[in-house]
Amino acid sequence: MNPQERIQAADRTLVRIVDQAMAEAVRRSGAWIACRLGCTACCIGPFPITQLDALRLRNGLTELRKADPERARRVLERARASVSRLKPLFPGDPVTGVLFEDDQAQEEFFERTDHEPCPALDPTTGACDLYAARPLTCRTFGPAVHVAGEALGHCELCYRGAAPEQIAACQVDFDPDGVEAVLLEELKAATGLCGETLVAFALAAPAAETPEAGAR
């Protein structure tokens, strides 16, 4: 097993850990969770993702191409169209899709593009075409969570009427051992990939366009 294959195997373990933690958060939260199929509020507006997320998305697109080539083609078309719209404002390298580390420029960019739908979102069904391969941000947004003791924001549609202490009681730590950070360092060492990008750039990258992408 080469380094990238090992990293991808470890990422699958990370995803299982995160998904199990989020299932517990949903269980604790009960009826306060508003997330449902077709609720796409969190799918509108680009957001930073890691290179580990990007790799997972490209592999997910490769798998979708095998199972449903037409649906994969539509995802890729939406990604390319999104990149075309975002490039004139993109605060980063438009070739690699890597964001510059400029907080103010990023904030202005995300404010000006908050209407842009995620290319993985099927506009007809309101479902994510790459749900199993979605970024960790997507997996953890909605219920109450915390990382390293720091509470993260939850969806404003959730916990309506709940008191702060009730929300706090629902929180889970989705990566208590810091596995994601370790894998990001390993991915950088093995491939040189580093920095944050966007879903559209990850999916429109040349590596995502070939049937062999992510298979090695």
Side-chain angles (χ1 to χ4, degrees), residues 48-70:
I49 64 171
T50 68
Q51 292 297 334
L52 193 62
D53 290 324
L55 178 61
R56 189 185 316 115
L57 280 167
R58 287 192 289 270
N59 289 338
L61 183 58
T62 295
E63 292 304 312
L64 181 61
R65 188 178 285 111
K66 296 174 183 176
D68 192 336
E70 178 58 25

Side-chain angles (χ1 to χ4, degrees), residues 48 89-107 109-110 194-198:
L89 300 170
F90 185 63
D93 186 333
V95 176
T96 64
V98 174
L99 287 157
F100 295 145
E101 294 183 4
D102 185 329
D103 292 342
Q104 182 175 345
Q106 286 193 30
E107 183 177 352
F109 168 74
F110 291 127
C194 61
E196 294 182 316
T197 185
L198 306 179

Side-chain angles (χ1 to χ4, degrees), residues 9 29 38 47 58 70 92 108 113 118 121 137 155 157 168 198 212-213:
S29 304
F47 55 90
R58 287 192 289 270
E70 178 58 25
E108 292 175 357
T113 58
C118 178
L121 175 66
T137 296
C155 177
L157 300 178
L198 306 179
E212 295 79 13

Side-chain angles (χ1 to χ4, degrees), residues 1-23:
M1 182 181 294
N2 64 40
Q4 189 161 326
E5 289 173 335
R6 189 184 60 76
I7 291 168
Q8 291 179 52
D11 181 59
R12 290 191 289 271
T13 299
L14 171 62
V15 165
R16 286 195 295 271
I17 292 170
V18 171
D19 287 352
Q20 289 171 0
M22 298 313 298

Side-chain angles (χ1 to χ4, degrees), residues 51-165:
Q51 292 297 334
L52 193 62
D53 290 324
L55 178 61
R56 189 185 316 115
L57 280 167
R58 287 192 289 270
N59 289 338
L61 183 58
T62 295
E63 292 304 312
L64 181 61
R65 188 178 285 111
K66 296 174 183 176
D68 192 336
E70 178 58 25
R71 190 150 60 108
R73 182 191 64 77
R74 292 196 297 269
V75 171
L76 184 56
E77 284 187 352
R78 293 197 297 265
R80 289 170 172 168
S82 184
V83 166
S84 180
R85 291 188 294 269
L86 295 172
K87 266 188 175 181
L89 300 170
F90 185 63
D93 186 333
V95 176
T96 64
V98 174
L99 287 157
F100 295 145
E101 294 183 4
D102 185 329
D103 292 342
Q104 182 175 345
Q106 286 193 30
E107 183 177 352
E108 292 175 357
F109 168 74
F110 291 127
E111 286 180 353
R112 296 179 66 181
T113 58
D114 63 359
H115 57 282
E116 182 72 22
C118 178
L121 175 66
D122 186 320
T124 302
T125 65
C128 176
D129 281 334
L130 296 173
Y131 188 76
R134 66 197 187 282
L136 292 196
T137 296
C138 304
R139 306 184 104 88
T140 58
F141 186 71
V145 297
H146 63 87
V147 177
E150 179 181 353
L152 302 182
H154 56 76
C155 177
E156 63 182 12
L157 300 178
C158 298
Y159 302 103
R160 289 184 171 177
E165 60 270 19

